[in-house]
Amino acid sequence: MSTLREIIHENVREGEPTKSSTATGCGVLPAGIVARSQMANLGFARFATTRAEPCLCPGAMSAASNATPSRKKPFFHAHPGALAYSFGMLGCDLHCGYCQNWVTSQALRDPAAVVGPMRVTPEELVRDAIRQGGQVIVSTYNEPLITSEWAMAVFKEARATGLVTGFVSNGNGTPQVLEYLRSWVDLTRWT
């Protein structure tokens, strides 16, 4: 059985807009945080990584997915009565003791938070959302700003089918990541 580190490294791809500088090392702007990553590290928030330049970001996996009534989401007023299909990755830039999604948000940082990702494509997530009756697809469960490239891939596929897209985030992002996401996210909740 593959370790979590191996699964992540098998499912990384080049981040879309990246910047490198000698001052900060690898700056993965869409990841929400300008992070200095070290070779063989999982990086700040344990995700963006630089096995070699350019910066590599995770994708093709989800730690969880589920369709629930939109009333359980912080933007229930936008589409009352709709089903919201939530998906999420692993990792968070914060370590809050009260986190309701501790198992997914802390899986890369805390060995007691045991959860494994499912290998899945954006197309598969969108098909599953539609199959379950979802009208809104939401990136949540962990801090989605650190895996924004993955959310964008899913949202592009979702938009093509008419799904509404949403982000539930702690809001700890850079101006660059917010600009990067702006045209692909319909609903946001910064908690």
Side-chain angles (χ1 to χ4, degrees):
M1 176 179 249
S2 297
T3 67
L4 186 53
R5 178 182 288 262
E6 290 167 342
I7 292 168
I8 290 169
H9 282 285
E10 291 167 5
N11 292 287
V12 294
R13 63 181 176 86
E14 184 176 336
E16 291 182 26
T18 62
K19 288 187 178 180
S20 291
S21 79
T22 55
T24 61
C26 174
V28 184
L29 299 179
I33 311 146
V34 178
R36 180 175 177 78
S37 298
Q38 301 294 326
M39 196 165 163
N41 250 351
L42 289 176
F44 188 80
R46 309 289 193 259
F47 250 129
T49 182
T50 56
R51 282 194 262 156
E53 285 294 333
C55 293
L56 302 173
C57 301
M61 57 185 162
S62 180
S65 60
N66 191 31
T68 58
S70 64
R71 70 178 179 271
K72 294 178 72 177
K73 297 294 172 200
F75 32 74
F76 60 90
H77 56 284
H79 291 275
L83 280 181
Y85 184 86
S86 300
F87 70 96
M89 268 276 203
L90 299 169
C92 185
D93 56 326
L94 302 178
H95 190 68
C96 305
Y98 55 82
C99 180
Q100 69 180 15
N101 296 314
W102 177 78
V103 173
T104 55
S105 71
Q106 302 306 308
L108 303 172
R109 176 181 284 149
D110 189 333
V114 181
V115 67
M118 306 171 290
R119 288 185 172 100
V120 65
T121 67
E123 297 82 9
E124 290 169 331
L125 283 174
V126 170
R127 274 196 309 269
D128 193 39
I130 292 168
R131 182 186 63 75
Q132 292 191 44
Q135 296 166 301
V136 179
I137 190 164
V138 183
S139 184
T140 185
Y141 296 137
N142 68 318
E143 174 43 57
L145 287 174
I146 68 171
T147 56
S148 58
E149 295 88 352
W150 170 240
M152 286 286 283
V154 174
F155 289 169
K156 287 176 181 178
E157 189 69 29
R159 280 274 186 87
T161 67
L163 290 174
V164 174
T165 61
F167 230 69
V168 178
S169 167
N170 66 27
N172 187 21
T174 63
Q176 294 89 346
V177 73
L178 300 178
E179 183 61 33
Y180 173 71
L181 293 167
R182 180 181 307 227
S183 62
W184 291 97
V185 178
D186 300 308
L187 307 170
T188 57
R189 173 61 179 182
W190 312 113
T191 58

